[in-house]
Amino acid sequence: MQTVEAFSSEFWTAFAPETVLLLGLAALFIIPNLGNAKLRIPLTQVKIPWFFGGRRFRLTGAAHLPGLIAVGTLFSAFFLATWSQFDDTFTATVVVAGDIQLLKIDAFSRLFEIIFLGAVFLASMASLDRVPATIFEETDEMEEMYDNRRQADLYLLMLTTALGMSLVALAQDMFVLFIGLELASFATYVLVAFHKESKAGAEGGVKYFIVGSVASAVGLYGLSLLYLWAGSLQLDVLAATWSTNGSEVLPIVALGFILVGFGFKVSAAPFHFAAPDAYSGANSPVAGLLATASKGMGIVGLIRVLIVIATPDVGAGSAIWLIALAVLAVVTMTWGNIAALGSTNPKRMLAYSSVAHAGYMLAALAAVGAWVNGDIEGPEDYGAAVIGAVLFHLTVLVAFKLGAFLVLGLLEMEGGASRLSSLAGLGRRDPLLATSMFIFMMALAGVPPLAGFMSKFLIIAGLVKVGVGEMWAAGGPVSFADIHWVWWLALAMFVNSALSVFYYLRIGVIMFLEPPEEGRRKPLPYGISIRMTIWVCVVATILLGVSGDFLIQLCYSAAETLF
Amino acid sequence: MSSTANMELKSKEFALVGFLAIAVAVLAALFPNLGANADGNVDWISIPLVGFPIIAGVILLAFASQESRATQKKIAAPIRLASLCFSLIPLGISTALFFDWLIAVDWAILGYNEYVLDSQYLWMESIGVSWHVGMDGLSFPMVWLTTFLVPITMIMTWDEKDGATYHPILLLMGGALIGVFVALDLFMFYIFWELTLIPMFFLILKWGGSDRRYAAQKFFIYTFTASLVMLLGLITLYFLQPEGNGPFHGTITGRTFDMTTLFANAAAYNLGDNVFLGLEMQKILFVLLMIGFLVKLPAVPFHTWLPDAHVQAPTGGSMILAGVMLKMGAYGIMRIPIAIFPDALVYYQDVIMAIGLISLVWGSVVCLGQTNLKKMIAYSSVSHMGVILLGIASMQPLGYAAALFMMFAHGIISPMLFAVCGAFKHHYHSMEIGDMRGMAKWSPFLSVYMMFAWMASLGLPLLAGFVAELMILLAYWPIYGWWILLPGAVLAITAGYFLWSMQRTIFEGGDEGQPPASLNGETPPDITMPENIGMIILAVFTVIFGIFPFIALGMMDDWTVALFEGVFNKGGI
């Protein structure tokens, strides 16, 4: 394992994506503010050019500029992260400050970075159209400047989200993880409320902020209990301590509190109440971001806490969170699906469907837990197969969940997407868009050969694998009673998938069968970048379903680094 | 305005380029080493029979659906002609395969678990998925039937509205259905199994009757749920099979989805008193798989989606649904559970027999009470599918061959039944049996076809349906003895409802007949030329397979004998 000191020269090359993000943030702070301001040297009449403020230059003050900077930055960061995933120069790099490990680059953390940066990149691409930079016909410079400021704000928040998420992925210390989580969370709180024109945006933002900060506080309390218990928040120290005396009451209680904190992030029931409001209030690219990358952030946290820290234990205490997690998973997926059945707002429906998807991932984590805790005899690849399936799910979720939100975003640009009937007639008005939306819906429902099927299939296969274990290895009859209870989680997932088909299919029926709403018969706004993004999502949804093999292997090898 | 036009142009270009890119990428992904067939034969299945119709259908759809409605009307004629021509290519290939024009095939020497044109390519090596196709005496008749029915359906419903998208969907549907029948990999089988739902969903949703929304969703959800149960069984089976390290075993999981390997493993283990996985596990997995297949079949009590789907579906949709899609269920039973879980099959023999009998009786009795012509035909399908289950439950080679022939014969006869219903609806705007009386007066052609199809379906000798029914009764007698009176009586009921409905429709109503009120006094027209052509072809083949059943029955027989030797013999003799 290669170690680098913080802020040494290798540090910047190893953390190139984050460095690029920081540079992009700096550029977003500085460039839009460049103007012809002059600074008068005190007590003299000498004015020297100062460039910050004043009348903005035509080039640097252009309203489109922040968006382009952000998209460029995110793309470079995404590219660098992907590059380093395939080029293993900096795998297993630990940054040490003193003897404390803060960040670690390995296949696992890089994969999550790719997911996060890719999702934020796509959302920013879409925001170029969704939150358009308006240039007024009459030269109202103040208006234009405000508009410019708003653009810069939006993309600053996007970049901050990306940076925070990267920190979460890389963190080797629970406190660093928490800081990254909060950095990303606070940016998303503002992003949700960013549409100040609509009441729903502000309301959703406030709800999301209040519930989110309560959840964070509870999680932080849990962390403090952990610190009290182990004297450190380092992952390896915690894991070592857990393996010796993990069955004490204190860490179990702490784990419960932390579960609440991350449970909110992945919008697991019963901590999901803010999610539907937040999703429907936020503009669609941001809602898509919440449903994909933000959820992934919670999953990283859960994996770190549950799989890395809490599972070396083979004592009695570990079973408590395992059963709790399994119950939570089943409740979450069922609750999400049943609530989605009844929702008439497509964004709320997608929010509940994302709750259901969180349930599927929690079920997978419960299965890994059951394996690591020694309930099931099996080789090393058991846990990696299941975690790999979760990683695959999170990766392809970016394609179809974000894609579905972006289709709604295009409808929002035209005049709202808050009713199911907003989608009516889409099959006639824009067949391509309707087909894309139908593909996303089918992927969410898990219809082959789309990526959504592959991801659900892999998770279920992982559950069954853990549940069935090595039963046939010896040959001879296999008893049904010997099958581990994890197998029943797979059954619960099937029942829920069947439930969910109904509301996903309903979207298709409405798009292709019902006539459009009054006043929505004209062609949809064009929006080149949002359409391009949707196309990328469609192609990824199909391709990763039909030939997702390389991604499966990537996810699997990433998951292997955990064990 | 011009900017709008520009926008449309751009999105069209996007669509075409995108779909082409996807098609090329899918092809590239699926067939990394195309032509590298193990036997050195040309792979006549993967691209010509499966890939080509699907991709051609998707491209035609992408092309047509981007146009405005007015343009769609204009381009409907060339597109449906193109679809028909494209659908004739698989038909030509499957027919040529039958006549040994492409490769020399001797179906009789195929042993158990041996396939014609067996081609396997690596698809997803991490979880052991391969693109594995091949045909044997079980799948070839179904493949030929599919390739045959798709162009017939297109001709029969030549004038369907929105032809620019309707005919490509049929083409696509055909490719997906063939994919189900040729798949020799469980994963691939499942993918095509589900893929068939989507075109059928759209056929019902877009071209269906007044209650199509409900019917389409019910059809999709019902069958999707059932196949999820089946998938759980398949995955559990996948992980229960012994680990291996063949070329098509997953690098992560160590197992393979390859059916042939699985069959060979099961057959090798099942020797003597050994039971692969143990009887208890076999029973559970058998039930999980059977739920998926029985819903598709459909058997009572899982049949309720079928009448709704059929009544609301357009004529073409019904023809494909009854002709091929229902057989997917029977095909699945024959292909997977029987080969892997013979002991569970023996254990559940009586249950399957009971389900078959109940389907048969229930379907027929319900038929008696139907006033809707199409609903009656739908229930008669349920009852015929019950006959197939009886053949399977007989556990004899004769019964299996008969069940196979029933699938085939029903696949030719039932499209004709639905074609007659469709023509009836199309020309008289009504589906009620009592509405039209004395049809012989007004529509001699339709009356003749109706009489022919009805007779074929009730099992008139010299027509295809009779052969199958007779064989199944013959196989049934030695096992269940005097219980044979029940199916025998039901066949009489079948004759009853068919003849009764025919009599009310064709003959009653005095010299002038009673044209339906829905025509508002207009003269009832006879059927159109395309309908005539389609029905004549179907009628001719019904007669051909009625008089010369051995054309198809030969390979079915050989397959059945091989199956019994491979699966039920258990190393004896």
Side-chain angles (χ1 to χ4, degrees):
Chain A
M1 193 185 295
Q2 188 186 353
T3 56
V4 287
E5 285 294 322
F7 307 114
S8 62
S9 62
E10 291 104 341
F11 177 83
W12 300 111
T13 40
F15 290 88
E18 289 72 31
T19 313
V20 167
L21 283 180
L22 277 175
L23 289 178
L25 273 172
L28 268 186
F29 272 118
I30 294 167
I31 292 179
N33 283 320
L34 290 183
N36 62 355
K38 290 190 172 62
L39 187 71
R40 188 172 66 85
I41 296 174
L43 304 177
T44 64
Q45 289 300 319
V46 182
K47 286 182 176 171
I48 53 169
W50 168 240
F51 296 123
F52 281 104
R55 219 185 133 118
R56 271 39 168 193
F57 298 127
R58 198 77 217 161
L59 181 68
T60 58
H64 290 291
L65 196 62
L68 295 178
I69 292 175
V71 167
T73 309
L74 284 165
F75 182 75
S76 333
F78 173 70
F79 179 78
L80 286 169
T82 316
W83 182 265
S84 78
Q85 177 76 315
F86 291 107
D87 165 44
D88 53 355
T89 326
F90 281 110
T91 48
T93 305
V94 181
V95 176
V96 183
D99 57 349
I100 297 173
Q101 296 182 3
L102 295 180
L103 306 168
K104 180 177 181 183
I105 303 174
D106 54 10
F108 179 79
S109 53
R110 269 291 186 251
L111 185 70
F112 267 104
E113 266 191 273
I114 292 172
I115 297 172
F116 295 153
L117 293 172
V120 182
F121 164 66
L122 290 176
S124 305
M125 271 283 278
S127 295
L128 290 182
D129 283 324
R130 176 63 188 90
V131 188
T134 42
I135 296 171
F136 294 95
E137 293 295 326
E138 66 273 15
T139 345
D140 186 342
E141 286 182 1
M142 282 313 282
E143 280 290 332
E144 196 176 321
M145 194 181 80
Y146 284 142
D147 194 40
N148 187 353
R149 294 296 323 177
R150 198 165 172 224
Q151 289 283 319
D153 291 348
L154 175 70
Y155 293 106
L156 271 174
L157 291 167
M158 287 277 191
L159 287 187
T160 317
T161 314
L163 190 62
M165 287 174 172
S166 299
L167 269 184
V168 171
L170 295 165
Q172 281 299 297
D173 186 294
M174 286 309 287
F175 196 70
V176 177
L177 196 147
F178 184 77
I179 287 176
L181 195 76
E182 287 307 292
L183 188 60
S185 298
F186 273 93
T188 47
Y189 297 148
V190 185
L191 278 174
V192 168
F194 198 77
H195 258 245
K196 54 183 186 244
E197 292 87 351
S198 78
K199 273 187 181 167
E203 187 195 330
V206 169
K207 271 188 191 166
Y208 194 56
F209 171 64
I210 291 173
V211 180
S213 44
V214 170
S216 294
V218 174
L220 192 60
Y221 184 58
L223 282 183
S224 70
L225 290 181
L226 269 190
Y227 185 76
L228 184 66
W229 167 69
S232 166
L233 284 177
Q234 293 279 299
L235 289 185
D236 51 353
V237 175
L238 284 172
T241 322
W242 194 283
S243 63
T244 52
N245 42 358
S247 50
E248 288 173 12
V249 176
L250 192 57
I252 297 290
V253 172
L255 202 64
F257 282 125
I258 295 175
L259 213 57
V260 174
F262 290 123
F264 168 76
K265 273 289 155 227
V266 297
S267 51
F271 317 115
H272 68 281
F273 289 111
D277 288 314
Y279 288 28
S280 58
N283 68 38
S284 287
V286 172
L289 204 59
L290 291 184
T292 57
S294 183
K295 186 181 292 281
M297 201 162 68
I299 291 289
V300 179
L302 283 177
I303 290 178
R304 294 286 191 211
V305 172
L306 296 180
I307 309 300
V308 177
I309 299 177
T311 51
D313 176 46
V314 285
S318 58
I320 293 177
W321 71 260
L322 196 60
I323 302 290
L325 197 66
V327 171
L328 199 66
V330 175
V331 169
T332 302
M333 60 176 97
T334 316
W335 194 328
N337 278 322
I338 289 177
L341 280 177
S343 54
T344 53
N345 178 341
K347 282 166 87 174
R348 291 185 83 89
M349 189 210 86
L350 282 177
Y352 282 121
S353 106
S354 124
V355 172
H357 279 260
Y360 303 152
M361 287 186 280
L362 290 184
L365 291 186
V368 186
W371 166 70
V372 186
N373 276 298
D375 285 13
I376 301 151
E377 295 300 320
E380 277 289 285
D381 62 351
Y382 271 42
V386 184
I387 293 287
V390 174
L391 298 191
F392 186 90
H393 184 81
L394 281 172
T395 316
V396 295
L397 199 63
V398 175
F400 48 82
K401 190 63 149 253
L402 190 62
F405 272 113
L406 292 185
V407 173
L408 295 180
L410 205 56
L411 285 167
E412 274 174 2
M413 283 164 67
E414 185 212 20
S418 56
R419 292 174 304 277
L420 277 177
S421 57
S422 315
L423 285 156
L426 200 63
R428 279 260 169 255
R429 296 170 69 208
D430 198 330
L432 191 60
L433 203 63
T435 312
S436 311
M437 187 66 171
F438 189 71
I439 288 177
F440 295 142
M441 287 299 123
M442 288 296 102
L444 283 167
V447 175
L450 303 169
F453 166 70
M454 273 314 291
S455 70
K456 234 177 231 183
F457 174 85
L458 287 173
I459 291 186
I460 288 172
L463 291 177
V464 171
K465 183 174 185 173
V466 171
V468 169
E470 297 288 293
M471 289 170 71
W472 180 251
V478 180
S479 167
F480 188 65
D482 291 346
I483 288 186
H484 194 261
W485 54 263
V486 163
W487 189 85
W488 293 97
L489 287 177
L491 192 70
M493 266 187 78
F494 273 112
V495 172
N496 272 285
S497 298
L499 252 178
S500 70
V501 180
F502 181 77
Y503 57 86
Y504 293 128
L505 210 55
R506 187 169 58 190
I507 296 274
V509 171
I510 286 169
M511 284 192 305
F512 289 103
L513 202 64
E514 288 187 356
E517 283 179 326
E518 274 310 308
R520 297 187 83 157
R521 289 172 193 279
K522 281 182 290 187
L524 283 159
Y526 190 55
I528 176 85
S529 67
I530 196 167
R531 271 182 200 258
M532 287 277 282
T533 321
I534 293 172
W535 259 108
V536 169
C537 291
V538 170
V539 171
T541 305
I542 296 175
L543 273 192
L544 293 178
V546 174
S547 58
D549 195 42
F550 81 95
L551 187 60
I552 297 175
Q553 281 173 357
L554 197 69
C555 292
Y556 177 72
S557 54
E560 259 186 333
T561 58
L562 276 181
F563 295 102
Chain B
M1 274 317 286
S2 68
S3 67
T4 317
N6 260 338
M7 283 174 197
E8 277 182 5
L9 192 68
K10 269 184 200 159
S11 72
K12 249 174 249 167
E13 281 162 1
F14 261 134
L16 276 182
V17 172
F19 274 110
L20 278 174
I22 291 174
V24 170
V26 167
L27 272 184
L30 286 186
F31 311 111
N33 41 1
L34 191 68
N37 192 334
D39 320 336
N41 284 325
V42 181
D43 183 358
W44 286 105
I45 301 178
S46 302
I47 299 271
L49 285 184
V50 183
F52 170 73
I54 292 180
I55 288 171
V58 168
I59 289 176
L60 283 178
L61 265 179
F63 180 72
S65 62
Q66 280 302 301
E67 305 292 338
S68 65
R69 281 203 102 154
T71 327
Q72 275 194 17
K73 281 213 173 72
K74 265 183 241 159
I75 59 171
I79 283 195
R80 70 187 175 194
L81 195 62
S83 304
L84 179 64
C85 293
F86 288 158
S87 74
L88 287 176
I89 292 174
L91 175 61
I93 288 171
S94 64
T95 312
L97 281 174
F98 179 76
F99 286 113
D100 292 359
W101 291 337
L102 296 175
I103 50 161
V105 186
D106 189 355
W107 300 95
I109 62 161
L110 281 183
Y112 171 62
N113 207 6
E114 284 178 4
Y115 305 90
V116 173
L117 285 174
D118 191 337
S119 324
Q120 190 167 19
Y121 315 100
L122 198 57
W123 183 358
M124 290 185 208
E125 63 173 342
S126 50
I127 51 172
V129 175
S130 57
W131 174 277
H132 191 180
V133 293
M135 296 194 285
D136 57 5
L138 168 62
S139 51
F140 181 77
M142 290 294 109
V143 170
W144 185 83
L145 186 68
T146 314
T147 57
F148 166 74
L149 275 184
V150 170
I152 298 280
T153 309
M154 283 186 186
I155 294 173
M156 194 85 78
T157 53
W158 192 244
D159 297 320
E160 191 71 65
K161 67 173 172 141
D162 290 334
T165 46
Y166 174 81
H167 288 84
I169 288 185
L170 283 182
L171 186 63
L172 176 64
M173 181 94 211
L177 285 166
I178 296 170
V180 173
F181 294 128
V182 297
L184 288 179
D185 182 282
L186 290 175
F187 190 89
M188 185 185 159
F189 174 81
Y190 185 79
I191 282 194
F192 280 109
W193 179 276
E194 296 288 39
L195 199 60
T196 54
L197 292 184
I198 293 170
M200 185 51 76
F201 173 72
F202 276 108
L203 277 180
I204 299 177
L205 188 68
K206 205 166 164 194
W207 288 274
S210 55
D211 203 12
R212 57 188 186 272
R213 183 175 171 160
Y214 170 74
Q217 293 190 60
K218 185 171 179 181
F219 159 75
F220 195 101
I221 294 170
Y222 214 114
T223 49
F224 185 77
T225 309
S227 28
L228 283 178
V229 176
M230 179 180 89
L231 181 62
L232 181 59
L234 291 180
I235 296 178
T236 312
L237 172 65
Y238 172 77
F239 281 113
L240 278 174
Q241 63 174 311
E243 264 186 77
N245 46 8
F248 299 106
H249 282 71
T251 52
I252 295 177
T253 55
R255 273 84 168 184
T256 178
F257 278 106
D258 187 22
M259 280 191 210
T260 54
T261 315
L262 195 56
F263 295 163
N265 281 343
Y269 195 85
N270 271 331
L271 298 179
D273 288 338
N274 289 335
V275 178
F276 185 59
L277 303 181
L279 189 59
E280 186 189 350
M281 203 65 217
Q282 273 208 1
K283 279 175 356 199
I284 287 157
L285 293 179
F286 185 79
V287 169
L288 287 179
L289 294 190
M290 285 301 271
I291 286 175
F293 297 134
L294 287 181
V295 167
K296 201 73 167 194
L297 193 59
V300 177
F302 306 119
H303 65 290
T304 54
W305 62 271
L306 185 78
D308 286 313
H310 265 316
V311 171
Q312 299 303 328
T315 308
S318 288
M319 286 170 69
I320 296 282
L321 185 62
V324 194
M325 261 185 107
L326 303 189
K327 276 64 178 191
M328 278 163 56
Y331 170 83
I333 297 175
M334 299 280 215
R335 175 64 84 200
I336 302 172
I338 289 180
I340 305 177
F341 311 122
D343 296 275
L345 178 69
V346 173
Y347 182 85
Y348 283 120
Q349 185 183 7
D350 290 346
V351 177
I352 294 175
M353 198 275 292
I355 293 177
L357 268 186
I358 292 171
S359 301
L360 181 62
V361 175
W362 186 279
S364 308
V365 172
V366 171
C367 272
L368 278 176
Q370 292 306 317
T371 56
N372 184 314
L373 202 57
K374 217 170 173 184
K375 212 163 192 166
M376 188 192 88
I377 304 294
Y379 277 111
S380 90
S381 285
V382 174
S383 116
H384 279 108
M385 293 300 114
V387 175
I388 292 181
L389 282 183
L390 288 188
I392 292 173
S394 76
M395 295 286 295
Q396 290 193 53
L398 182 65
Y400 277 62
L404 281 182
F405 196 71
M406 187 76 192
M407 284 156 70
F408 187 71
H410 189 255
I412 294 180
I413 296 168
S414 68
M416 192 165 173
L417 296 172
F418 281 107
V420 169
C421 286
F424 196 90
K425 166 91 179 164
H426 184 83
H427 297 296
Y428 309 141
H429 313 295
S430 165
M431 252 4 289
E432 294 302 306
I433 293 176
D435 272 9
M436 174 75 180
R437 288 176 196 273
M439 191 166 74
K441 207 84 182 163
W442 303 99
S443 313
F445 277 107
L446 186 56
S447 306
V448 168
Y449 294 132
M450 184 174 180
M451 193 181 285
F452 185 89
W454 261 232
M455 288 297 180
S457 188
L458 66 83
L460 195 72
L462 289 187
L463 299 179
F466 170 71
V467 184
E469 282 179 11
L470 183 70
M471 280 168 69
I472 284 183
L473 291 185
L474 285 181
Y476 190 78
W477 164 254
I479 307 296
Y480 291 105
W482 289 107
W483 276 100
I484 199 170
L485 289 177
L486 193 54
V490 171
L491 290 181
I493 298 181
T494 308
Y497 64 77
F498 271 123
L499 289 175
W500 189 31
S501 64
M502 199 163 78
Q503 179 232 346
R504 276 182 290 172
T505 313
I506 301 183
F507 299 113
E508 280 181 359
D511 282 348
E512 290 303 308
Q514 286 173 10
S518 44
L519 278 180
N520 298 325
E522 288 171 39
T523 316
D526 208 341
I527 59 176
T528 59
M529 185 54 103
E531 286 167 344
N532 246 324
I533 296 172
M535 292 211 207
I536 284 179
I537 298 175
L538 286 174
V540 165
F541 277 90
T542 311
V543 175
I544 289 180
F545 287 109
I547 301 180
F548 310 110
F550 49 82
I551 299 176
L553 202 50
M555 69 173 72
M556 295 172 182
D557 246 348
D558 299 333
W559 180 82
T560 315
V561 171
L563 176 82
F564 272 75
E565 233 161 64
V567 172
F568 297 113
N569 198 7
K570 295 214 152 200
I573 305 174

